[in-house]
Short mmCIF file of all heavy atoms in Angstrom, two decimals:
data_model
loop_
_atom_site.label_atom_id
_atom_site.label_comp_id
_atom_site.label_asym_id
_atom_site.label_seq_id
_atom_site.Cartn_x
_atom_site.Cartn_y
_atom_site.Cartn_z
N ASP A 51 60.21 81.60 58.29
CA ASP A 51 59.04 81.80 57.41
C ASP A 51 57.93 80.79 57.66
O ASP A 51 57.20 80.40 56.74
CB ASP A 51 59.46 81.76 55.94
CG ASP A 51 60.40 82.88 55.56
OD1 ASP A 51 60.25 83.98 56.11
OD2 ASP A 51 61.29 82.65 54.72
N HIS A 52 57.76 80.36 58.92
CA HIS A 52 56.67 79.45 59.26
C HIS A 52 55.49 80.19 59.90
O HIS A 52 54.50 79.56 60.26
CB HIS A 52 57.16 78.37 60.23
CG HIS A 52 58.25 77.53 59.66
ND1 HIS A 52 58.06 76.65 58.62
CD2 HIS A 52 59.58 77.44 59.98
CE1 HIS A 52 59.20 76.04 58.32
NE2 HIS A 52 60.13 76.51 59.13
N VAL A 53 55.60 81.50 60.06
CA VAL A 53 54.52 82.30 60.64
C VAL A 53 54.00 83.22 59.55
O VAL A 53 54.70 84.12 59.08
CB VAL A 53 55.02 83.12 61.84
CG1 VAL A 53 53.89 83.98 62.40
CG2 VAL A 53 55.57 82.20 62.93
N SER A 54 52.76 82.97 59.12
CA SER A 54 52.20 83.73 58.00
C SER A 54 51.93 85.18 58.38
O SER A 54 52.02 86.08 57.54
CB SER A 54 50.92 83.06 57.50
OG SER A 54 49.97 82.97 58.55
N ASP A 55 51.57 85.42 59.64
CA ASP A 55 51.23 86.76 60.10
C ASP A 55 51.79 86.93 61.51
O ASP A 55 51.37 86.20 62.43
CB ASP A 55 49.71 86.94 60.10
CG ASP A 55 49.29 88.36 60.45
OD1 ASP A 55 50.14 89.14 60.93
OD2 ASP A 55 48.09 88.68 60.26
N PRO A 56 52.73 87.85 61.72
CA PRO A 56 53.32 88.00 63.06
C PRO A 56 52.31 88.38 64.12
O PRO A 56 52.57 88.20 65.31
CB PRO A 56 54.35 89.11 62.86
CG PRO A 56 53.95 89.82 61.61
CD PRO A 56 53.32 88.79 60.75
N ARG A 57 51.14 88.85 63.74
CA ARG A 57 50.11 89.15 64.73
C ARG A 57 49.62 87.89 65.44
O ARG A 57 49.06 87.96 66.53
CB ARG A 57 48.93 89.88 64.07
CG ARG A 57 49.24 91.31 63.65
CD ARG A 57 48.08 91.96 62.93
NE ARG A 57 47.81 91.30 61.66
CZ ARG A 57 46.89 91.69 60.79
NH1 ARG A 57 46.14 92.75 61.07
NH2 ARG A 57 46.70 91.02 59.66
N LYS A 58 49.87 86.74 64.81
CA LYS A 58 49.49 85.48 65.43
C LYS A 58 50.39 85.13 66.62
O LYS A 58 50.11 84.19 67.36
CB LYS A 58 49.56 84.35 64.41
CG LYS A 58 48.54 84.48 63.28
CD LYS A 58 48.67 83.33 62.30
CE LYS A 58 47.63 83.44 61.19
NZ LYS A 58 47.73 82.32 60.21
N MET A 59 51.47 85.90 66.79
CA MET A 59 52.37 85.67 67.91
C MET A 59 51.92 86.40 69.17
O MET A 59 52.62 86.43 70.17
CB MET A 59 53.79 86.08 67.52
CG MET A 59 54.33 85.27 66.34
SD MET A 59 55.78 86.00 65.55
CE MET A 59 57.03 85.71 66.79
N PHE A 60 50.74 87.01 69.11
CA PHE A 60 50.12 87.67 70.26
C PHE A 60 48.73 87.08 70.47
O PHE A 60 48.02 86.81 69.50
CB PHE A 60 49.99 89.18 70.02
CG PHE A 60 51.30 89.88 69.79
CD1 PHE A 60 51.85 89.97 68.52
CD2 PHE A 60 51.98 90.48 70.84
CE1 PHE A 60 53.06 90.62 68.30
CE2 PHE A 60 53.18 91.14 70.63
CZ PHE A 60 53.72 91.20 69.36
N TYR A 61 48.33 86.89 71.71
CA TYR A 61 46.99 86.35 71.97
C TYR A 61 46.12 87.33 72.76
O TYR A 61 44.96 87.02 73.05
CB TYR A 61 47.08 85.02 72.73
CG TYR A 61 47.87 85.08 74.02
CD1 TYR A 61 47.29 85.51 75.20
CD2 TYR A 61 49.21 84.70 74.02
CE1 TYR A 61 48.01 85.56 76.37
CE2 TYR A 61 49.95 84.74 75.18
CZ TYR A 61 49.34 85.16 76.36
OH TYR A 61 50.08 85.22 77.52
N SER A 62 46.67 88.48 73.12
CA SER A 62 45.87 89.50 73.80
C SER A 62 46.42 90.87 73.42
O SER A 62 47.39 90.98 72.66
CB SER A 62 45.91 89.31 75.33
OG SER A 62 45.02 90.20 75.98
N SER A 63 45.79 91.92 73.94
CA SER A 63 46.20 93.28 73.60
C SER A 63 45.82 94.22 74.74
O SER A 63 44.96 93.89 75.58
CB SER A 63 45.53 93.73 72.31
OG SER A 63 44.13 93.86 72.51
N PRO A 64 46.41 95.41 74.79
CA PRO A 64 45.99 96.40 75.79
C PRO A 64 44.50 96.70 75.71
O PRO A 64 43.84 96.87 76.74
CB PRO A 64 46.84 97.62 75.45
CG PRO A 64 48.06 97.07 74.78
CD PRO A 64 47.58 95.89 74.00
N ALA A 65 43.97 96.75 74.49
CA ALA A 65 42.55 97.06 74.33
C ALA A 65 41.67 95.99 74.97
O ALA A 65 40.63 96.29 75.57
CB ALA A 65 42.20 97.20 72.85
N GLU A 66 42.07 94.73 74.86
CA GLU A 66 41.27 93.64 75.45
C GLU A 66 41.24 93.74 76.96
O GLU A 66 40.20 93.50 77.59
CB GLU A 66 41.81 92.29 74.99
CG GLU A 66 41.55 91.99 73.52
CD GLU A 66 41.96 90.58 73.15
OE1 GLU A 66 42.04 89.72 74.04
OE2 GLU A 66 42.24 90.35 71.96
N LEU A 67 42.39 94.06 77.56
CA LEU A 67 42.41 94.20 79.02
C LEU A 67 41.64 95.43 79.47
O LEU A 67 41.01 95.43 80.53
CB LEU A 67 43.85 94.25 79.53
CG LEU A 67 44.68 92.96 79.37
CD1 LEU A 67 46.01 93.09 80.09
CD2 LEU A 67 43.91 91.76 79.91
N GLU A 68 41.68 96.48 78.67
CA GLU A 68 40.89 97.67 78.99
C GLU A 68 39.40 97.36 78.97
O GLU A 68 38.64 97.86 79.80
CB GLU A 68 41.22 98.80 78.02
CG GLU A 68 42.55 99.48 78.29
CD GLU A 68 42.84 100.60 77.31
OE1 GLU A 68 42.24 100.59 76.22
OE2 GLU A 68 43.68 101.47 77.63
N LYS A 69 38.98 96.52 78.04
CA LYS A 69 37.57 96.13 77.98
C LYS A 69 37.14 95.40 79.25
O LYS A 69 35.99 95.48 79.67
CB LYS A 69 37.32 95.25 76.75
CG LYS A 69 37.34 95.99 75.43
CD LYS A 69 37.08 95.03 74.28
CE LYS A 69 37.14 95.76 72.95
NZ LYS A 69 36.92 94.82 71.81
N LEU A 70 38.09 94.69 79.84
CA LEU A 70 37.78 93.96 81.08
C LEU A 70 37.77 94.89 82.29
O LEU A 70 37.33 94.49 83.37
CB LEU A 70 38.81 92.86 81.30
CG LEU A 70 38.80 91.69 80.30
CD1 LEU A 70 39.95 90.74 80.58
CD2 LEU A 70 37.48 90.96 80.33
N GLY A 71 38.29 96.11 82.12
CA GLY A 71 38.27 97.07 83.20
C GLY A 71 39.63 97.49 83.73
O GLY A 71 39.71 98.25 84.70
N ALA A 72 40.71 97.03 83.09
CA ALA A 72 42.05 97.39 83.56
C ALA A 72 42.42 98.80 83.13
O ALA A 72 42.00 99.28 82.06
CB ALA A 72 43.08 96.40 83.02
N THR A 73 43.22 99.46 83.96
CA THR A 73 43.83 100.74 83.58
C THR A 73 45.22 100.43 83.07
O THR A 73 46.09 99.98 83.82
CB THR A 73 43.91 101.69 84.79
OG1 THR A 73 42.60 101.92 85.30
CG2 THR A 73 44.55 103.01 84.39
N MET A 74 45.44 100.66 81.78
CA MET A 74 46.68 100.24 81.14
C MET A 74 47.70 101.38 81.11
O MET A 74 47.37 102.51 80.71
CB MET A 74 46.42 99.75 79.72
CG MET A 74 45.42 98.60 79.64
SD MET A 74 45.96 97.13 80.56
CE MET A 74 47.43 96.67 79.65
N HIS A 75 48.92 101.08 81.51
CA HIS A 75 50.04 102.03 81.45
C HIS A 75 51.10 101.42 80.54
O HIS A 75 52.08 100.83 81.00
CB HIS A 75 50.61 102.29 82.84
CG HIS A 75 49.61 102.79 83.84
ND1 HIS A 75 49.37 104.14 84.04
CD2 HIS A 75 48.78 102.13 84.69
CE1 HIS A 75 48.46 104.28 84.98
NE2 HIS A 75 48.08 103.08 85.39
N MET A 76 50.88 101.54 79.22
CA MET A 76 51.83 100.98 78.25
C MET A 76 52.97 101.97 78.03
O MET A 76 52.84 103.17 78.27
CB MET A 76 51.12 100.68 76.94
CG MET A 76 49.94 99.72 77.08
SD MET A 76 50.38 98.13 77.79
CE MET A 76 51.40 97.44 76.49
N SER A 77 54.10 101.45 77.55
CA SER A 77 55.30 102.25 77.35
C SER A 77 55.63 103.05 78.61
O SER A 77 55.94 104.24 78.57
CB SER A 77 55.13 103.21 76.15
OG SER A 77 54.86 102.49 74.98
N THR A 78 55.54 102.36 79.72
CA THR A 78 55.73 102.99 81.03
C THR A 78 56.76 102.20 81.82
O THR A 78 56.69 100.97 81.91
CB THR A 78 54.41 103.04 81.80
OG1 THR A 78 53.46 103.82 81.05
CG2 THR A 78 54.61 103.66 83.17
N ASP A 79 57.69 102.91 82.41
CA ASP A 79 58.75 102.30 83.19
C ASP A 79 58.48 102.51 84.68
O ASP A 79 58.36 103.65 85.13
CB ASP A 79 60.10 102.91 82.80
CG ASP A 79 61.27 102.17 83.41
OD1 ASP A 79 61.08 101.00 83.81
OD2 ASP A 79 62.37 102.75 83.51
N VAL A 80 58.34 101.41 85.42
CA VAL A 80 58.22 101.51 86.88
C VAL A 80 59.63 101.70 87.43
O VAL A 80 60.49 100.82 87.28
CB VAL A 80 57.56 100.25 87.48
CG1 VAL A 80 57.56 100.33 89.01
CG2 VAL A 80 56.13 100.12 86.96
N THR A 81 59.88 102.83 88.03
CA THR A 81 61.23 103.19 88.46
C THR A 81 61.54 102.81 89.90
O THR A 81 62.70 102.65 90.26
CB THR A 81 61.45 104.69 88.27
OG1 THR A 81 60.44 105.41 89.01
CG2 THR A 81 61.37 105.07 86.79
N ASP A 82 60.50 102.65 90.74
CA ASP A 82 60.75 102.32 92.14
C ASP A 82 59.49 101.73 92.76
O ASP A 82 58.37 102.13 92.44
CB ASP A 82 61.16 103.57 92.93
CG ASP A 82 61.53 103.24 94.37
OD1 ASP A 82 62.56 102.59 94.58
OD2 ASP A 82 60.76 103.61 95.27
N ILE A 83 59.71 100.72 93.62
CA ILE A 83 58.61 100.13 94.36
C ILE A 83 58.99 100.12 95.85
O ILE A 83 60.04 99.61 96.24
CB ILE A 83 58.30 98.69 93.90
CG1 ILE A 83 57.83 98.67 92.45
CG2 ILE A 83 57.24 98.06 94.81
CD1 ILE A 83 57.55 97.28 91.90
N ASP A 84 58.11 100.69 96.67
CA ASP A 84 58.27 100.65 98.12
C ASP A 84 57.23 99.67 98.64
O ASP A 84 56.05 100.00 98.79
CB ASP A 84 58.05 102.04 98.72
CG ASP A 84 58.22 102.07 100.24
OD1 ASP A 84 58.43 101.00 100.85
OD2 ASP A 84 58.14 103.17 100.82
#
Side-chain angles (χ1 to χ4, degrees):
D51 296 326
H52 299 292
V53 178
S54 59
D55 185 347
R57 288 177 295 183
K58 294 180 179 180
M59 298 164 72
F60 300 87
Y61 55 84
S62 187
S63 67
E66 289 187 23
L67 293 188
E68 284 180 340
K69 287 180 182 178
L70 293 175
T73 301
M74 302 300 296
H75 303 269
M76 303 302 292
S77 301
T78 299
D79 189 20
V80 175
T81 57
D82 184 68
I83 296 178
D84 181 355

